[in-house]
């Protein structure tokens, strides 16, 4: 079965530094997402992306965050100036549109971001 | 905004029994509701999707029900096995665009041999 891949699996960065998390969604999918999960907490929606633009974003997704699909395969999340509270597992997901507005999410293995 | 409540943080049952997990939502009924499994340190894995006009959906030992009057979905695992031990997440779309899937906090299921 096709998979969503993410790199790196673990990223350690210093507070104030920029990080870019990378994802390769499943090739024929149309919707792309970023979620985060702080240790022990729930999976939180950050942003969805469709047709080369942001469809929805949450309150968490402020000006420090941006997403990009630089080519036909990669989908990236950039955090401009990391804070300690950005430490979390970041999951990329992609969806196929299966009719009637139904979206089934395929999630990547995650990137663990540690901000020191 | 839509809120999802998964009533039990943790559920422990004996192998072979049926596990029943509950998901309640607070506002409008979504067009569909999804269940995912998450193992520690891993991403959620899609299990089942049920649409608002479906009362019940089955897949092997899994069964999901969707009651829009009660604003509730039940997720059942029959003949449970220790390998079913994981966190189970309820998810639904928020908003009209169906491009924002939100998750409940999950129920951690432990199946003891």
């Amino acid at each position: 079965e096709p998979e969503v891949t993410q790199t790196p699996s673990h990223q350690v960065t210093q507070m104030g530094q920029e990080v870019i998390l990378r994802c390769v969604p499943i090739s024929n999918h149309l919707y792309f997402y970023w979620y985060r999960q702080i240790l022990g907490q729930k999976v939180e929606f950050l942003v969805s992306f469709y047709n080369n633009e942001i469809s929805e974003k949450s309150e968490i997704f402020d000006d420090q965050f941006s997403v990009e699909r630089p080519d036909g395969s990669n989908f990236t999340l950039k955090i401009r100036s990391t804070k300690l509270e950005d430490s979390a597992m970041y999951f990329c997901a992609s969806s196929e549109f299966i009719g009637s507005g139904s979206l089934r999410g395929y999630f990547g293995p995650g990137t663990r971001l540690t901000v020191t | 905004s839509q809120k999802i409540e998964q009533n039990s943080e943790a559920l422990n049952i004996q192998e072979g029994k049926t596990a029943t997990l509950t998901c309640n939502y607070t506002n409008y009924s979504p067009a569909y509701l999804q269940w995912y499994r998450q193992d520690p340190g891993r991403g959620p894995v899609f299990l089942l999707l049920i649409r608002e006009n479906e009362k019940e959906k089955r897949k092997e030992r899994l069964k999901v029900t969707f009651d829009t009057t009660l604003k509730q979905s039940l997720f059942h695992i029959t003949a449970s096995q220790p390998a079913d031990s994981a966190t189970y997440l309820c998810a639904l779309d928020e908003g009209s665009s169906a491009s924002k899937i939100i998750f409940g906090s999950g129920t951690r299921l432990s199946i003891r041999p």
Side-chain angles (χ1 to χ4, degrees), chain A residues 24-92:
Chain A
V24 179
I26 293 171
S27 61
N28 61 343
H29 284 185
L30 301 176
Y31 292 84
F32 313 112
Y33 310 82
W34 284 100
Y35 287 81
R36 80 170 186 193
Q37 186 172 33
I38 295 168
L39 188 63
Q41 297 188 24
K42 70 186 210 178
V43 177
E44 297 177 290
F45 172 83
L46 291 179
V47 66
S48 61
F49 193 85
Y50 171 72
N51 203 24
N52 284 320
E53 59 183 25
I54 290 174
S55 298
E56 301 260 6
K57 58 183 181 177
S58 70
E59 314 77 55
I60 304 167
F61 194 89
D62 62 21
D63 292 344
Q64 292 301 310
F65 291 86
S66 62
V67 289
E68 203 175 35
R69 188 152 161 83
D71 52 43
S73 58
N74 291 284
F75 181 50
T76 61
L77 174 71
K78 183 194 292 186
I79 310 175
R80 285 192 185 82
S81 177
T82 49
K83 308 185 192 72
L84 294 175
E85 54 266 34
D86 293 328
S87 295
M89 183 77 100
Y90 287 80
F91 294 109
C92 173

Side-chain angles (χ1 to χ4, degrees), chain B residues 41-52:
Chain B
R42 312 287 289 271
V45 175
F46 173 83
L47 296 174
L48 277 169
L49 177 150
I50 186 165
R51 294 188 170 86
E52 62 179 336

Side-chain angles (χ1 to χ4, degrees), chain B residues 23-74:
Chain B
C23 172
N24 293 285
Y25 54 92
T26 56
N27 292 343
Y28 57 87
S29 282
Y32 59 94
L33 190 144
Q34 304 183 41
W35 284 89
Y36 288 77
R37 168 181 173 142
Q38 187 177 29
D39 290 286
R42 312 287 289 271
V45 175
F46 173 83
L47 296 174
L48 277 169
L49 177 150
I50 186 165
R51 294 188 170 86
E52 62 179 336
N53 60 351
E54 297 175 318
K55 294 284 186 234
E56 183 180 295
K57 199 82 168 278
R58 289 177 187 259
K59 179 182 173 184
E60 297 170 355
R61 293 184 295 111
L62 308 180
K63 183 177 90 171
V64 172
T65 62
F66 193 6
D67 188 327
T68 55
T69 305
L70 294 178
K71 296 188 178 180
Q72 183 180 81
S73 174
L74 299 179

